[in-house]
Amino acid sequence: MKQQYPSRLLSDAVEAISSLPGVGERSALRLALHLLSQPKENVHHFADAIRKLSDEALYCSDCRMISDGERCAICSDASRDHRTICVVESVRDVMSIEATGQYRGVYHVLGGIISPIGGVGPSELTIKELVGRLSALESGENQAELILALSGDVEGETTSFYIYRQVCGLGVKVTTLARGLGFGADLEYADSLTLGRSLLNRQIFKP
Amino acid sequence: MKQQYPSRLLSDAVEAISSLPGVGERSALRLALHLLSQPKENVHHFADAIRKLSDEALYCSDCRMISDGERCAICSDASRDHRTICVVESVRDVMSIEATGQYRGVYHVLGGIISPIGGVGPSELTIKELVGRLSALESGENQAELILALSGDVEGETTSFYIYRQVCGLGVKVTTLARGLGFGADLEYADSLTLGRSLLNRQIFKP
């Protein structure tokens, strides 16, 4: 049922808010009325933060991650290992890996994943830039490493394979994330694909 | 765990979006990155719709509902019964009642509900304006009616009672919404308060 709005301004705002992914018309109305009940300055601050993000955000010239300057904080950090590059789909994945505190290399953000259904081909992603970065790494005493940290679904596997084919001639060690049961995970709740693969790829027990 | 954002612009936008009710930091990040992936014009349109809502929305001089003009479409409609006023908490309730197609009177939007815990007293609501409207109604051939259509919780009941005390001397018929089991509702899933009250307030069966 199409809702009738008492005000054009309200229906415009609801339409704009409900264009966000996962926000229906009912939630959008709730949010619009919340914003309407707030002081004007708060709403201005809200709208400006979003506008500025879109207008002023830069992408790191090295890793293509969103950044306030020309190079992001990670790529500018000389203490990090610039010969280990972790390929991820989006900035969210960078944040997830950074949160582990286990990684001291740098990143490369693809900006998506190869998806024939979604109409995303390799040329839409930053794969050419990645190959350029790897080619530019002088061969040092230790071999450079490319970690493919993409999702485990068909599209992620396809993208990993495509990147592997592009870089396999560059003398770079190509690795991927370990897959298996989660640490602390219950066998009972594991999906059968993961459980089966974990059995096939079983490892020597190190007590 | 506090997330580390690679960009100040991104963290500002996430902070703004997560100030919305029911939107956590993770969803806010997802929405911010979605907006970032959109063309700039779409994001400007989004931010402007919200800004305009806050800056330009008017409230109907009669019923205090959000409106594009000085009087809302309902109050300006001469075919509606202006001697029947339905008191609701917010514009959302107006939209719900309008969607039924069963009501031809006008509304009065309180803009909230009396809530000692929420710090909302009668003076924050448009109760004084309501009393003014009722006093201004000339005594016509048929008695004016005030329908209290507030929620059935303690705060709604308190507000209904407060309004009743304010208007009971004005010669207006005061009614409230029928309460009981929903039409088509299953006894099994009814809460016991509603079921108990429906039994006490049972009505003559009209086949």
Side-chain angles (χ1 to χ4, degrees):
Chain A
M1 186 191 58
K2 188 70 192 144
Q3 288 269 28
Q4 285 289 326
Y5 291 95
S7 149
R8 181 65 199 253
L9 290 165
L10 183 63
S11 72
D12 284 353
V14 169
E15 197 188 312
I17 298 172
S18 62
S19 74
L20 295 173
V23 181
E25 193 176 340
R26 209 172 257 264
S27 309
L29 175 60
R30 189 172 53 82
L31 295 176
L33 292 174
H34 167 80
L35 287 167
L36 193 58
S37 73
Q38 297 297 302
K40 278 198 177 62
E41 310 84 76
N42 294 16
V43 179
H44 289 180
H45 176 81
F46 176 88
D48 290 348
I50 285 167
R51 215 187 154 106
K52 271 175 101 166
L53 174 67
S54 178
D55 285 354
E56 298 173 18
L58 297 171
Y59 291 89
C60 173
S61 56
D62 284 2
C63 72
R64 321 304 298 174
M65 179 162 66
I66 176 175
S67 160
D68 287 338
E70 210 207 310
R71 283 184 92 206
C72 73
I74 294 172
C75 288
S76 316
D77 184 348
S79 77
R80 296 190 74 124
D81 174 10
H82 286 253
R83 295 180 63 76
T84 304
I85 300 179
C86 180
V87 178
V88 292
E89 183 180 337
S90 80
V91 64
R92 266 192 287 177
D93 301 326
V94 173
M95 290 171 61
S96 299
I97 295 176
E98 284 298 289
T100 69
Q102 299 290 319
Y103 184 62
R104 296 298 303 161
V106 293
Y107 295 92
H108 191 86
V109 179
L110 290 180
I113 202 130
I114 296 174
S115 163
I117 295 169
V120 181
S123 59
E124 264 103 325
L125 308 180
T126 60
I127 294 176
K128 204 183 278 179
E129 289 86 344
L130 174 65
V131 174
R133 275 179 86 181
L134 289 170
S135 313
L137 280 180
E138 304 141 46
S139 45
E141 47 211 68
N142 55 342
Q143 196 185 16
E145 180 176 351
L146 186 71
I147 306 173
L148 297 169
L150 302 175
S151 54
D153 54 14
V154 176
E155 297 175 341
E157 298 280 3
T158 306
T159 311
S160 290
F161 187 68
Y162 182 89
I163 293 174
Y164 176 75
R165 290 287 298 269
Q166 300 291 309
V167 305
C168 61
L170 301 173
V172 175
K173 183 164 112 188
V174 182
T175 59
T176 185
L177 296 182
R179 296 205 186 272
L181 291 180
F183 287 87
D186 209 321
L187 244 70
E188 196 181 342
Y189 301 114
D191 64 293
S192 57
L193 181 66
T194 299
L195 188 55
R197 292 278 176 90
S198 294
L199 258 173
L200 282 175
N201 301 334
R202 61 193 178 276
Q203 298 174 312
I204 298 291
F205 183 67
K206 281 174 260 171
Chain B
M1 186 190 60
K2 188 72 195 144
Q3 289 268 26
Q4 285 288 327
Y5 291 95
S7 148
R8 182 66 200 253
L9 290 165
L10 183 63
S11 70
D12 284 352
V14 169
E15 198 189 313
I17 297 172
S18 60
S19 74
L20 295 173
V23 180
E25 193 175 340
R26 210 173 254 265
S27 308
L29 176 61
R30 189 171 54 82
L31 295 177
L33 292 174
H34 166 81
L35 287 167
L36 193 59
S37 73
Q38 296 297 300
K40 277 197 178 62
E41 309 85 74
N42 294 16
V43 180
H44 289 181
H45 176 79
F46 176 87
D48 290 348
I50 285 166
R51 216 187 153 107
K52 272 176 101 167
L53 174 67
S54 178
D55 286 353
E56 298 173 19
L58 297 171
Y59 292 89
C60 174
S61 56
D62 284 2
C63 71
R64 320 306 298 175
M65 178 162 69
I66 176 175
S67 160
D68 287 338
E70 211 208 311
R71 285 183 91 206
C72 73
I74 294 172
C75 288
S76 315
D77 184 348
S79 76
R80 295 189 75 124
D81 174 9
H82 286 252
R83 296 182 62 77
T84 304
I85 300 179
C86 179
V87 177
V88 293
E89 184 179 337
S90 80
V91 64
R92 265 192 288 177
D93 301 326
V94 173
M95 290 170 63
S96 299
I97 295 176
E98 284 298 289
T100 68
Q102 300 290 318
Y103 184 63
R104 296 297 303 160
V106 294
Y107 295 92
H108 191 85
V109 179
L110 289 180
I113 202 129
I114 295 175
S115 163
I117 294 169
V120 181
S123 59
E124 264 104 326
L125 309 179
T126 61
I127 295 175
K128 203 184 280 179
E129 289 85 344
L130 174 64
V131 175
R133 275 178 87 182
L134 289 170
S135 313
L137 281 180
E138 305 142 47
S139 45
E141 49 210 68
N142 55 342
Q143 197 185 17
E145 180 176 350
L146 186 72
I147 306 172
L148 297 169
L150 302 175
S151 55
D153 54 14
V154 176
E155 297 175 340
E157 298 281 3
T158 306
T159 310
S160 290
F161 187 68
Y162 183 88
I163 293 173
Y164 176 75
R165 290 287 296 270
Q166 299 291 309
V167 305
C168 60
L170 300 173
V172 174
K173 182 163 115 189
V174 181
T175 59
T176 184
L177 295 182
R179 296 205 186 273
L181 291 180
F183 286 87
D186 209 321
L187 242 70
E188 196 180 343
Y189 300 115
D191 65 293
S192 57
L193 182 65
T194 298
L195 188 54
R197 293 278 177 91
S198 295
L199 259 173
L200 283 176
N201 299 334
R202 62 193 178 275
Q203 298 174 313
I204 298 291
F205 184 65
K206 281 176 264 174

